[in-house]
C-alpha cells in the first residue's frame, strides 16, 4: 500500500489531454513539493517534473504539473504514442523522514 | 553526462548478505546527495535510503532500517549499500540515484540502470 495514491491506469487517444492524479496527506504533499517520474517500458525512471510544476531541460511543454492542498496532478496534452509509460509521483514525508512514492499509473495510448 | 553504474546484484539466500556498489561519473560526486531506490518485479518504486554529500545526514525506509547500511566514498566517486538479513521481499531492481543537492533529502534527478537482487532459497 503506497503512501501516495494514484490511479493504476489511464488512457487516451493521440492528441488528447490526459491527467493523472496523486493524493497524499499533510505530512507529504501538503507541506512539500511534488515530483513526477516517467518510466518507459524496460528502462530506468526519468525525472519529468520537479517542485510541483517545473520541467527539467528537454521535457516537452506538453507536460504540466500542479498541486493543491494534499493533492497533485500531472497533465499531458497532445498525447503521443511515445508517452506510453508508467508515471510515478513522489514527495518527502516529514513524519516518515523519507521519500514516498505513488503506486504508479500505467498510461496507455490507444 | 551524468552516469551511474550499479553492480553487486545477484542471487542470495534468505538471511544472507550482499553489498551493492554504484560508480558515479560526469559530475562532482562529493557535492551531491545520493539515494537507493528499489522496484520489486512488476511493482512500483520504493525509496530505500539517502545520504548527504558529506555523509552527515542518512535516512532509511522503515522496511530496511537496522538491516541495510548506506555509505559513500567521495575519493572513489562511489556509493554503497550493505544489505544484511535479506528477506524474500527485498527482491527487486535496486537503482542508484543522484540527489539534486548536497543535503539529505534532495529530490532524485538522475537514475542508474539498476541491478537485480534476488532473495530466494
Amino acid at each position: 500500500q503506497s503512501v501516495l495514491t494514484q490511479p493504476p491506469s489511464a488512457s487516451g487517444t493521440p492528441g488528447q489531454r490526459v491527467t493523472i492524479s496523486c493524493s497524499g496527506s499533510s505530512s507529504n504533499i501538503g507541506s512539500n513539493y511534488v515530483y513526477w517520474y516517467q518510466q518507459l517500458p524496460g528502462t530506468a525512471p526519468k525525472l519529468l517534473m520537479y517542485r510541483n510544476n517545473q520541467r527539467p531541460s528537454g521535457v516537452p511543454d506538453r507536460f504540466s504539473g500542479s498541486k493543491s492542498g494534499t493533492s497533485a496532478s500531472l497533465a499531458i496534452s497532445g498525447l503521443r504514442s511515445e508517452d506510453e509509460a508508467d508515471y510515478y509521483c513522489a514527495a518527502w514525508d516529514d513524519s516518515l523522514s523519507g521519500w514516498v512514492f505513488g503506486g504508479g499509473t500505467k498510461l496507455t495510448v490507444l | 553526462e551524468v552516469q551511474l553504474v550499479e553492480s553487486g546484484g545477484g542471487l542470495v539466500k534468505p538471511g544472507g548478505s550482499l553489498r551493492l556498489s554504484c560508480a558515479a561519473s560526469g559530475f562532482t560526486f562529493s557535492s551531491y546527495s545520493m539515494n537507493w531506490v528499489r522496484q520489486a518485479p512488476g511493482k512500483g518504486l520504493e525509496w530505500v535510503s539517502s545520504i548527504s554529500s558529506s555523509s552527515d545526514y542518512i535516512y532509511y525506509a522503515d522496511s530496511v532500517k537496522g538491516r541495510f547500511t548506506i555509505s559513500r566514498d567521495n575519493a572513489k566517486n562511489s556509493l554503497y549499500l550493505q544489505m544484511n538479513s535479506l528477506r524474500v521481499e527485498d527482491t527487486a531492481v535496486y537503482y542508484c540515484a543522484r540527489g539534486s543537492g548536497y543535503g539529505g533529502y534532495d529530490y532524485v534527478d538522475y537514475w542508474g540502470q539498476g541491478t537485480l537482487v534476488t532473495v530466494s532459497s
Side-chain angles (χ1 to χ4, degrees):
Chain A
Q1 206 77 316
S2 302
V3 174
L4 304 182
T5 301
Q6 297 180 235
S9 64
S11 63
T13 56
Q16 265 192 332
R17 184 176 187 269
V18 170
T19 61
I20 297 172
S21 62
C22 176
S23 178
S25 67
S26 58
S27 63
N28 41 66
I29 293 179
S31 51
N32 294 297
Y33 290 118
V34 177
Y35 303 85
W36 291 90
Y37 297 92
Q38 178 193 57
Q39 187 174 32
L40 296 169
T43 70
K46 166 193 159 186
L47 179 65
L48 191 66
M49 198 73 56
Y50 66 100
R51 291 178 188 162
N52 301 336
N53 56 16
Q54 301 300 301
R55 286 186 308 276
S57 171
V59 173
D61 59 7
R62 301 185 296 105
F63 294 88
S64 62
S66 65
K67 175 187 139 175
S68 178
T70 59
S71 294
S73 63
L74 174 73
I76 310 171
S77 60
L79 201 60
R80 303 176 68 155
S81 58
E82 57 260 41
D83 297 333
E84 194 160 279
D86 293 325
Y87 292 84
Y88 295 90
C89 59
W92 178 262
D93 191 294
D94 292 332
S95 296
L96 298 174
S97 291
W99 286 96
V100 291
F101 285 91
T105 298
K106 183 176 184 62
L107 175 64
T108 301
V109 181
L110 302 169
Chain B
E1 178 195 4
V2 172
Q3 286 204 343
L4 301 168
V5 180
E6 303 91 339
S7 61
L11 176 63
V12 61
K13 287 182 168 51
S17 297
L18 212 55
R19 189 195 196 208
L20 304 184
S21 298
C22 171
S25 61
F27 64 102
T28 305
F29 182 74
S30 60
S31 296
Y32 290 86
S33 61
M34 296 296 295
N35 305 265
W36 288 100
V37 179
R38 68 185 181 184
Q39 185 171 33
K43 301 296 184 182
L45 301 172
E46 180 189 14
W47 169 77
V48 173
S49 183
S50 299
I51 185 169
S52 62
S53 60
S54 55
S55 305
D56 290 343
Y57 299 96
I58 291 177
Y59 302 92
Y60 295 101
D62 287 343
S63 58
V64 307
K65 203 171 291 183
R67 301 187 298 123
F68 290 10
T69 302
I70 191 173
S71 62
R72 63 190 296 161
D73 185 335
N74 287 344
K76 295 183 177 180
N77 290 344
S78 293
L79 175 72
Y80 306 101
L81 185 68
Q82 177 66 44
M83 304 186 295
N84 299 331
S85 303
L86 282 162
R87 305 167 179 167
V88 171
E89 55 265 34
D90 293 319
T91 295
V93 172
Y94 285 73
Y95 292 103
C96 168
R98 192 187 83 164
S100 58
Y102 58 86
Y105 54 94
D106 308 291
Y107 67 92
V108 168
D109 57 2
Y110 288 96
W111 302 68
Q113 287 306 302
T115 186
L116 177 62
V117 172
T118 303
V119 185
S120 175
S121 54

